[in-house]
Short mmCIF file of all heavy atoms in Angstrom, two decimals:
data_model
loop_
_atom_site.label_atom_id
_atom_site.label_comp_id
_atom_site.label_asym_id
_atom_site.label_seq_id
_atom_site.Cartn_x
_atom_site.Cartn_y
_atom_site.Cartn_z
N TYR A 1 11.14 -9.86 5.34
CA TYR A 1 10.33 -10.65 4.42
C TYR A 1 10.48 -10.10 2.93
O TYR A 1 10.66 -10.90 1.99
CB TYR A 1 8.88 -10.73 4.89
CG TYR A 1 7.97 -11.37 3.91
CD1 TYR A 1 8.03 -12.79 3.64
CD2 TYR A 1 7.05 -10.68 3.11
CE1 TYR A 1 7.10 -13.43 2.73
CE2 TYR A 1 6.16 -11.22 2.18
CZ TYR A 1 6.22 -12.62 1.98
OH TYR A 1 5.43 -13.22 1.10
N ILE A 2 10.27 -8.85 2.87
CA ILE A 2 10.24 -8.14 1.48
C ILE A 2 11.56 -8.31 0.86
O ILE A 2 11.60 -8.66 -0.38
CB ILE A 2 9.86 -6.70 1.69
CG1 ILE A 2 8.32 -6.60 2.11
CG2 ILE A 2 10.05 -5.96 0.31
CD1 ILE A 2 8.01 -5.25 2.60
N SER A 3 12.67 -8.25 1.61
CA SER A 3 13.91 -8.26 1.10
C SER A 3 14.60 -9.60 0.79
O SER A 3 15.51 -9.75 0.10
CB SER A 3 14.98 -7.34 1.84
OG SER A 3 15.03 -7.87 3.25
N THR A 4 13.95 -10.60 1.46
CA THR A 4 14.47 -11.96 1.26
C THR A 4 13.60 -12.86 0.41
O THR A 4 13.98 -13.62 -0.39
CB THR A 4 14.72 -12.67 2.56
OG1 THR A 4 13.49 -12.69 3.34
CG2 THR A 4 15.75 -12.03 3.39
N GLU A 5 12.22 -12.59 0.43
CA GLU A 5 11.32 -13.46 -0.22
C GLU A 5 10.71 -12.77 -1.57
O GLU A 5 10.25 -13.49 -2.35
CB GLU A 5 10.08 -13.77 0.63
CG GLU A 5 10.46 -14.53 1.94
CD GLU A 5 11.11 -15.93 1.64
OE1 GLU A 5 10.66 -16.53 0.61
OE2 GLU A 5 11.95 -16.32 2.35
N LEU A 6 10.94 -11.48 -1.64
CA LEU A 6 10.44 -10.76 -2.78
C LEU A 6 11.56 -10.02 -3.50
O LEU A 6 12.70 -10.03 -2.91
CB LEU A 6 9.30 -9.76 -2.40
CG LEU A 6 8.10 -10.47 -1.70
CD1 LEU A 6 7.21 -9.35 -1.09
CD2 LEU A 6 7.28 -11.36 -2.67
N ASP A 7 11.32 -9.35 -4.52
CA ASP A 7 12.43 -8.82 -5.34
C ASP A 7 12.82 -7.36 -5.01
O ASP A 7 12.68 -6.53 -5.91
CB ASP A 7 12.02 -8.95 -6.87
CG ASP A 7 13.17 -8.77 -7.93
OD1 ASP A 7 14.26 -8.85 -7.41
OD2 ASP A 7 12.94 -8.55 -9.04
N TYR A 8 13.23 -7.13 -3.80
CA TYR A 8 13.54 -5.74 -3.37
C TYR A 8 14.75 -5.81 -2.48
O TYR A 8 15.03 -6.75 -1.71
CB TYR A 8 12.31 -5.21 -2.54
CG TYR A 8 11.00 -5.11 -3.28
CD1 TYR A 8 10.24 -6.26 -3.34
CD2 TYR A 8 10.63 -4.06 -4.06
CE1 TYR A 8 9.02 -6.39 -4.00
CE2 TYR A 8 9.46 -4.14 -4.82
CZ TYR A 8 8.69 -5.26 -4.76
OH TYR A 8 7.51 -5.28 -5.46
N SER A 9 15.55 -4.68 -2.47
CA SER A 9 16.64 -4.64 -1.52
C SER A 9 16.11 -4.14 -0.18
O SER A 9 14.98 -3.65 -0.10
CB SER A 9 17.56 -3.50 -2.09
OG SER A 9 17.03 -2.24 -1.93
N GLU A 10 16.86 -4.34 0.86
CA GLU A 10 16.49 -3.91 2.21
C GLU A 10 16.27 -2.43 2.24
O GLU A 10 15.33 -1.94 2.81
CB GLU A 10 17.54 -4.35 3.16
CG GLU A 10 17.17 -4.13 4.62
CD GLU A 10 18.18 -4.58 5.65
OE1 GLU A 10 18.86 -5.71 5.36
OE2 GLU A 10 18.37 -3.95 6.69
N ALA A 11 17.14 -1.69 1.59
CA ALA A 11 17.03 -0.21 1.60
C ALA A 11 15.68 0.33 0.97
O ALA A 11 15.09 1.14 1.45
CB ALA A 11 18.24 0.40 0.95
N ASP A 12 15.40 -0.41 -0.15
CA ASP A 12 14.16 0.00 -0.90
C ASP A 12 12.94 -0.39 -0.05
O ASP A 12 11.98 0.30 -0.06
CB ASP A 12 14.14 -0.62 -2.31
CG ASP A 12 15.11 -0.01 -3.25
OD1 ASP A 12 15.60 1.13 -2.94
OD2 ASP A 12 15.26 -0.57 -4.36
N ALA A 13 13.03 -1.51 0.60
CA ALA A 13 11.86 -1.96 1.38
C ALA A 13 11.63 -1.01 2.57
O ALA A 13 10.46 -0.59 2.80
CB ALA A 13 12.18 -3.36 2.02
N LYS A 14 12.80 -0.47 3.18
CA LYS A 14 12.54 0.50 4.25
C LYS A 14 12.09 1.83 3.72
O LYS A 14 11.17 2.41 4.39
CB LYS A 14 13.94 0.66 4.98
CG LYS A 14 14.42 -0.45 5.78
CD LYS A 14 15.73 -0.17 6.45
CE LYS A 14 16.18 -1.32 7.28
NZ LYS A 14 17.53 -1.10 7.94
N GLU A 15 12.52 2.23 2.62
CA GLU A 15 12.06 3.54 2.00
C GLU A 15 10.60 3.40 1.62
O GLU A 15 9.74 4.29 1.92
CB GLU A 15 12.84 3.92 0.78
CG GLU A 15 12.52 5.21 0.23
CD GLU A 15 13.27 5.58 -1.01
OE1 GLU A 15 14.26 4.90 -1.34
OE2 GLU A 15 12.93 6.61 -1.70
N TRP A 16 10.13 2.28 1.11
CA TRP A 16 8.73 2.05 0.73
C TRP A 16 7.86 2.10 1.95
O TRP A 16 6.82 2.80 1.94
CB TRP A 16 8.54 0.72 -0.01
CG TRP A 16 7.13 0.34 -0.15
CD1 TRP A 16 6.25 0.83 -1.02
CD2 TRP A 16 6.38 -0.65 0.60
NE1 TRP A 16 5.01 0.27 -0.85
CE2 TRP A 16 5.08 -0.72 0.09
CE3 TRP A 16 6.75 -1.64 1.59
CZ2 TRP A 16 4.12 -1.56 0.64
CZ3 TRP A 16 5.78 -2.49 2.05
CH2 TRP A 16 4.50 -2.54 1.55
N LEU A 17 8.30 1.61 3.10
CA LEU A 17 7.48 1.54 4.25
C LEU A 17 7.10 2.99 4.73
O LEU A 17 6.08 3.24 5.28
CB LEU A 17 8.24 0.92 5.47
CG LEU A 17 8.30 -0.58 5.40
CD1 LEU A 17 9.17 -1.14 6.50
CD2 LEU A 17 6.89 -1.23 5.51
N SER A 18 8.04 3.92 4.38
CA SER A 18 7.74 5.32 4.82
C SER A 18 6.76 6.02 3.91
O SER A 18 6.26 7.14 4.24
CB SER A 18 9.07 6.18 4.79
OG SER A 18 9.55 6.33 3.43
N THR A 19 6.40 5.38 2.74
CA THR A 19 5.54 6.04 1.78
C THR A 19 4.09 5.38 1.88
O THR A 19 3.15 5.99 1.26
CB THR A 19 6.08 5.84 0.40
OG1 THR A 19 5.97 4.55 0.00
CG2 THR A 19 7.53 6.31 0.32
N VAL A 20 3.87 4.28 2.40
CA VAL A 20 2.59 3.49 2.30
C VAL A 20 1.80 3.55 3.56
O VAL A 20 2.37 3.53 4.69
CB VAL A 20 2.87 2.01 1.82
CG1 VAL A 20 3.61 1.28 2.94
CG2 VAL A 20 1.60 1.39 1.45
N ARG A 21 0.52 3.68 3.40
CA ARG A 21 -0.42 3.56 4.49
C ARG A 21 -1.61 2.58 4.16
O ARG A 21 -2.30 2.80 3.26
CB ARG A 21 -1.02 4.97 4.94
CG ARG A 21 -1.83 4.85 6.19
CD ARG A 21 -2.32 6.32 6.65
NE ARG A 21 -3.43 6.69 5.73
CZ ARG A 21 -3.35 7.57 4.78
NH1 ARG A 21 -2.21 8.19 4.53
NH2 ARG A 21 -4.41 7.94 4.10
N PHE A 22 -1.63 1.49 4.90
CA PHE A 22 -2.68 0.52 4.67
C PHE A 22 -4.00 0.92 5.38
O PHE A 22 -3.94 1.66 6.38
CB PHE A 22 -2.26 -0.94 5.09
CG PHE A 22 -1.30 -1.52 4.20
CD1 PHE A 22 0.05 -1.30 4.32
CD2 PHE A 22 -1.62 -2.43 3.22
CE1 PHE A 22 1.02 -1.91 3.49
CE2 PHE A 22 -0.76 -3.06 2.34
CZ PHE A 22 0.57 -2.81 2.46
N ALA A 23 -5.13 0.45 4.95
CA ALA A 23 -6.34 0.74 5.60
C ALA A 23 -6.38 0.01 6.96
O ALA A 23 -6.02 -1.09 7.11
CB ALA A 23 -7.57 0.22 4.75
N THR A 24 -6.87 0.82 8.02
CA THR A 24 -6.92 0.14 9.35
C THR A 24 -8.24 -0.73 9.46
O THR A 24 -8.25 -1.63 10.23
CB THR A 24 -6.88 1.14 10.48
OG1 THR A 24 -8.03 2.15 10.17
CG2 THR A 24 -5.62 1.93 10.57
N LYS A 25 -9.18 -0.39 8.59
CA LYS A 25 -10.44 -1.23 8.46
C LYS A 25 -10.68 -1.50 6.95
O LYS A 25 -10.90 -0.63 6.19
CB LYS A 25 -11.63 -0.46 9.10
CG LYS A 25 -12.94 -1.22 8.98
CD LYS A 25 -14.07 -0.45 9.54
CE LYS A 25 -15.42 -1.10 9.29
NZ LYS A 25 -15.56 -2.40 9.77
N THR A 26 -10.43 -2.78 6.60
CA THR A 26 -10.44 -3.11 5.19
C THR A 26 -11.87 -3.26 4.66
O THR A 26 -12.12 -3.08 3.46
CB THR A 26 -9.73 -4.44 4.95
OG1 THR A 26 -10.13 -5.55 5.83
CG2 THR A 26 -8.21 -4.27 5.10
N GLU A 27 -12.85 -3.63 5.52
CA GLU A 27 -14.18 -3.77 5.01
C GLU A 27 -14.76 -2.42 4.54
O GLU A 27 -14.66 -1.39 5.30
CB GLU A 27 -15.10 -4.38 6.06
CG GLU A 27 -16.61 -4.48 5.62
CD GLU A 27 -17.49 -4.97 6.70
OE1 GLU A 27 -17.09 -5.55 7.72
OE2 GLU A 27 -18.67 -4.64 6.58
N GLY A 28 -15.35 -2.30 3.40
CA GLY A 28 -16.00 -1.08 2.97
C GLY A 28 -15.16 -0.25 2.06
O GLY A 28 -13.99 -0.40 1.90
N VAL A 29 -15.88 0.57 1.28
CA VAL A 29 -15.21 1.34 0.27
C VAL A 29 -15.85 2.84 0.33
O VAL A 29 -17.07 2.99 0.52
CB VAL A 29 -15.51 0.84 -1.20
CG1 VAL A 29 -14.81 1.59 -2.27
CG2 VAL A 29 -15.04 -0.62 -1.21
N ASN A 30 -15.04 3.84 0.20
CA ASN A 30 -15.44 5.24 0.15
C ASN A 30 -16.01 5.50 -1.19
O ASN A 30 -15.28 5.48 -2.22
CB ASN A 30 -14.32 6.09 0.50
CG ASN A 30 -14.85 7.56 0.58
OD1 ASN A 30 -15.81 8.02 0.10
ND2 ASN A 30 -14.00 8.36 1.28
N LEU A 31 -17.28 5.68 -1.32
CA LEU A 31 -17.94 5.95 -2.66
C LEU A 31 -17.34 7.14 -3.28
O LEU A 31 -17.23 7.16 -4.60
CB LEU A 31 -19.52 6.19 -2.43
CG LEU A 31 -20.25 6.47 -3.77
CD1 LEU A 31 -20.14 5.30 -4.79
CD2 LEU A 31 -21.71 6.75 -3.30
N LYS A 32 -16.94 8.16 -2.62
CA LYS A 32 -16.32 9.32 -3.22
C LYS A 32 -15.11 8.98 -3.96
O LYS A 32 -14.79 9.58 -4.97
CB LYS A 32 -16.07 10.41 -2.12
CG LYS A 32 -17.37 10.98 -1.52
CD LYS A 32 -16.92 12.04 -0.47
CE LYS A 32 -18.22 12.63 0.16
NZ LYS A 32 -17.85 13.52 1.32
N VAL A 33 -14.23 8.01 -3.42
CA VAL A 33 -13.07 7.58 -4.16
C VAL A 33 -13.40 6.96 -5.52
O VAL A 33 -12.73 7.25 -6.53
CB VAL A 33 -12.29 6.60 -3.27
CG1 VAL A 33 -11.12 5.98 -4.03
CG2 VAL A 33 -11.79 7.33 -2.10
N ILE A 34 -14.46 6.10 -5.49
CA ILE A 34 -14.84 5.47 -6.73
C ILE A 34 -15.40 6.44 -7.77
O ILE A 34 -15.15 6.39 -8.90
CB ILE A 34 -15.86 4.31 -6.49
CG1 ILE A 34 -15.30 3.31 -5.39
CG2 ILE A 34 -16.29 3.59 -7.72
CD1 ILE A 34 -13.93 2.71 -5.75
N GLN A 35 -16.21 7.42 -7.25
CA GLN A 35 -16.73 8.43 -8.13
C GLN A 35 -15.70 9.27 -8.73
O GLN A 35 -15.76 9.52 -9.93
CB GLN A 35 -17.72 9.33 -7.29
CG GLN A 35 -18.37 10.39 -8.14
CD GLN A 35 -19.34 9.89 -9.18
OE1 GLN A 35 -20.36 9.23 -8.78
NE2 GLN A 35 -19.07 10.07 -10.43
N SER A 36 -14.73 9.63 -7.98
CA SER A 36 -13.49 10.38 -8.47
C SER A 36 -12.86 9.58 -9.49
O SER A 36 -12.47 10.22 -10.55
CB SER A 36 -12.67 10.84 -7.32
OG SER A 36 -11.46 11.41 -7.78
N CYS A 37 -12.60 8.34 -9.25
CA CYS A 37 -11.95 7.56 -10.24
C CYS A 37 -12.67 7.49 -11.61
O CYS A 37 -12.06 7.56 -12.66
CB CYS A 37 -11.71 6.17 -9.62
SG CYS A 37 -10.73 5.06 -10.68
N VAL A 38 -13.97 7.23 -11.43
CA VAL A 38 -14.78 7.14 -12.63
C VAL A 38 -14.81 8.48 -13.41
O VAL A 38 -14.60 8.49 -14.63
CB VAL A 38 -16.30 6.88 -12.26
CG1 VAL A 38 -17.24 7.08 -13.46
CG2 VAL A 38 -16.34 5.37 -11.78
N ASP A 39 -14.87 9.60 -12.71
CA ASP A 39 -14.84 10.81 -13.31
C ASP A 39 -13.51 11.10 -14.13
O ASP A 39 -13.52 11.56 -15.31
CB ASP A 39 -14.95 12.07 -12.28
CG ASP A 39 -16.35 12.11 -11.66
OD1 ASP A 39 -17.22 11.48 -12.19
OD2 ASP A 39 -16.53 12.74 -10.66
#
């Protein structure tokens, strides 16, 4: 999908997959992350 519908090569799409981790539970936010960002 990434290499045919979006602007990426197949090799780059595969490399990106090794670097990214999506949230397993999307609901909610860690307040410490927001506090760190604000700081």
